[in-house]
Amino acid sequence: MRIVVVDDQTAVREGLVTILELLPGVEVVAAGADGAEAIDLVEQHEPDVVLMDLRMPGIDGVEATKQI
């Protein structure tokens, strides 16, 4: 399973990446800090799953999800 992780808080984002990478069959293909970056990362990497924070500055997770 290919995953993109998006969260504006660095510690949360990096923590999620670390935990997810420990799971068998899971590959974190990218991590981003806001909704705009999430949209770009999904276009570039075509993941199976996007794990996204809902409340972020700029384009929030809800709007980014709509655009994806």
Side-chain angles (χ1 to χ4, degrees), residues 21-42:
E21 287 181 335
L22 295 172
L23 299 173
V26 173
E27 176 187 6
V28 178
V29 295
D34 60 37
E37 193 172 2
I39 295 164
D40 291 339
L41 291 173
V42 168

Side-chain angles (χ1 to χ4, degrees), residues 5-65:
V5 175
V6 184
D7 196 298
D8 61 321
Q9 296 180 31
T10 304
V12 172
R13 184 175 61 249
E14 291 176 357
L16 287 169
V17 169
T18 299
I19 291 167
L20 290 168
E21 287 181 335
L22 295 172
L23 299 173
V26 173
E27 176 187 6
V28 178
V29 295
D34 60 37
E37 193 172 2
I39 295 164
D40 291 339
L41 291 173
V42 168
E43 288 177 6
Q44 291 173 22
H45 298 281
E46 299 181 358
D48 301 307
V49 175
V50 179
L51 182 58
M52 184 157 9
D53 185 9
L54 294 179
R55 292 182 288 173
M56 296 182 286
I59 298 176
D60 66 15
V62 174
E63 181 58 32
T65 300

